[in-house]
Amino acid sequence: MTRIDNNPESGRPVAVSVRGLVKHYGATKALDGVDLDVHEGTVLGVLGPNGAGKTTLVRCLSTLITPDAGTAIVAGYDAVKQPRQLRRVIGLTGQYASVDEKLSGRENLYMIGRLLDLSKKEARTRADALLERFSLTDAATRPAKTYSGGMRRRLDLAASMIGRPHVLYLDEPTTGLDPRTRNEVWAEVKSMVRDGVTVLLTTQYMEEAEQLAHELTVIDRGRVIANGGIEELKAKVGGRTLRIRPADPMELRPLAHALDDLGLTGIATSTVDAESGTVLVPILSDEQLTAVVGAVTARGITIGSIATELPSLDEVFLSITGQKASAPQDARPELAEVAV
């Protein structure tokens, strides 16, 4: 599967600028001074465990709630001072489909177009164009309640695009979807970005973040605790894994013993991957890499190949937040939406 280029052209203008955003729910501080930027035509993935503040952030940026402090400038508009203007240039798709199930797909899109002050003709034209783009033309006259979960999600995305938004908020858009439907949603998001739409994506799924995001911001308990590119965050966690393959497969176990006997501080016990004929050993520095190679050659073991691997994004998430990331669950039951 093709992934969005994770190295976007530098120097792009900022489409979303958030500084010191604060939101309280009673004694709970859902957002505690959040700062972030999203550059035009890119995807910012906002990662965090349940209750981290991701949905509250989206609600503030989409003018659904008012922050208690801080500023949020989106597409040139102040989210607090210019909410009416801002609503005309943004789109929002939440965790669950927000379409009217009694209306047909075409009626849903037409209604939203009219609510956005499109003329009757323009609303009909726009609705038909989006039905075709999202492969819903054949189901256009059917009530939305007869749609599959994937069709509803595509209709929801189409609805968010009626007003040709400059900025699109996707709040955990693939929650509860099966793998095939998730891939369809990802393909549509990539298409939107190619068309120049700026996307702020909240997710708990590492695969989704790696597929879609150019940059990542990790929040926990209402605060930003890390940000940067995917590879940059992996490097920040520290540590690499050496994957060493001996030239002689019979040397696999002696190689593992040589690494275990090395005894350098910070090097964990090596792991033998018999299937690939390699030994994996964590290291923390270039000096330790040199020591490992020296110890192996001193034992008379010829190295067939050696490679270094950065930690996975799941490992980064666990290291930064202290929690494991969510794994996608097919057909996850709908839950009551919580404030944070």
Side-chain angles (χ1 to χ4, degrees):
M1 182 185 300
T2 302
R3 188 173 74 183
I4 283 182
D5 178 11
N6 291 109
N7 294 295
E9 182 180 330
S10 61
R12 293 187 182 188
V14 174
V16 180
S17 178
V18 176
R19 293 292 180 271
L21 210 62
V22 175
K23 181 63 183 179
H24 295 190
Y25 292 105
T28 301
K29 189 171 287 188
L31 297 177
D32 188 12
V34 169
D35 296 338
L36 61 81
D37 291 321
V38 191
H39 294 88
E40 287 185 5
T42 69
V43 180
L44 175 69
V46 179
L47 296 172
N50 283 327
K54 302 187 301 296
T55 296
T56 297
L57 174 64
V58 169
R59 289 177 173 175
C60 287
L61 296 181
S62 55
T63 76
L64 295 177
I65 59 175
T66 303
D68 297 317
T71 60
I73 307 299
V74 180
Y77 297 110
D78 188 301
V80 174
K81 298 177 181 178
Q82 300 168 293
R84 290 176 61 87
Q85 297 94 318
L86 178 55
R87 291 176 194 137
R88 294 183 178 277
V89 296
I90 61 174
L92 169 63
T93 295
Q95 297 177 29
Y96 309 110
S98 59
V99 296
D100 189 323
E101 294 192 342
K102 296 181 180 179
L103 299 180
S104 69
R106 178 176 284 117
E107 288 169 338
N108 266 287
L109 299 184
Y110 175 79
M111 176 186 68
I112 294 172
R114 294 292 287 149
L115 290 172
L116 292 173
D117 293 333
L118 300 183
S119 68
K120 293 181 179 179
K121 180 180 179 180
E122 188 177 5
R124 282 193 295 268
T125 300
R126 184 68 176 148
D128 287 341
L130 287 168
L131 287 167
E132 181 176 358
R133 172 174 178 173
F134 286 88
S135 303
L136 293 170
T137 301
D138 291 344
T141 59
R142 284 168 40 193
K145 65 182 178 182
T146 68
Y147 285 16
S148 67
M151 293 170 68
R152 290 190 192 191
R153 178 54 71 202
R154 295 204 304 274
L155 182 60
D156 216 28
L157 284 169
S160 70
M161 296 297 291
I162 282 285
R164 293 184 174 86
H166 299 300
V167 177
L168 179 63
Y169 304 123
L170 301 178
D171 188 16
E172 301 194 19
T174 61
T175 295
L177 298 184
D178 60 83
R180 181 182 63 82
T181 304
R182 277 198 299 273
N183 289 338
E184 292 175 355
V185 171
W186 291 346
E188 291 300 338
V189 174
K190 293 173 184 178
S191 177
M192 294 174 190
V193 174
R194 285 194 295 270
D195 290 343
V197 177
T198 301
V199 176
L200 186 146
L201 165 75
T202 74
T203 184
Q204 295 183 70
Y205 301 158
M206 297 300 102
E207 184 182 5
E208 186 160 81
E210 292 205 84
Q211 282 288 332
L212 299 177
H214 297 99
E215 294 186 334
L216 299 176
T217 291
V218 183
I219 63 175
D220 191 19
R221 300 178 184 178
R223 301 181 69 88
V224 173
I225 57 176
N227 56 60
I230 291 175
E231 298 306 318
E232 181 183 352
L233 288 183
K234 288 180 179 180
K236 283 182 179 179
V237 170
R240 290 166 288 170
T241 298
L242 284 181
R243 183 179 288 273
I244 307 174
R245 182 178 59 81
D248 181 356
M250 298 300 294
E251 298 276 23
L252 190 59
R253 294 293 174 181
L255 172 60
H257 293 320
L259 295 173
D260 288 342
D261 292 343
L262 191 54
L264 287 178
T265 302
I267 294 187
T269 302
S270 59
T271 302
V272 175
D273 184 351
E275 184 175 348
S276 64
T278 59
V279 176
L280 284 69
V281 58
I283 62 170
L284 298 176
S285 66
D286 291 338
E287 289 75 15
Q288 289 186 342
L289 187 155
T290 301
V292 166
V293 173
V296 172
T297 55
R299 294 288 185 94
I301 300 172
T302 302
I303 297 176
S305 66
I306 185 168
T308 61
E309 300 174 353
L310 287 172
S312 69
L313 193 54
D314 282 293
E315 292 168 332
V316 172
F317 189 87
L318 176 62
S319 174
I320 293 174
T321 68
Q323 301 186 43
K324 291 184 177 180
S326 295
Q329 298 177 20
D330 301 343
R332 179 184 293 182
E334 293 193 4
L335 303 175
E337 191 173 24
V338 296
V340 297

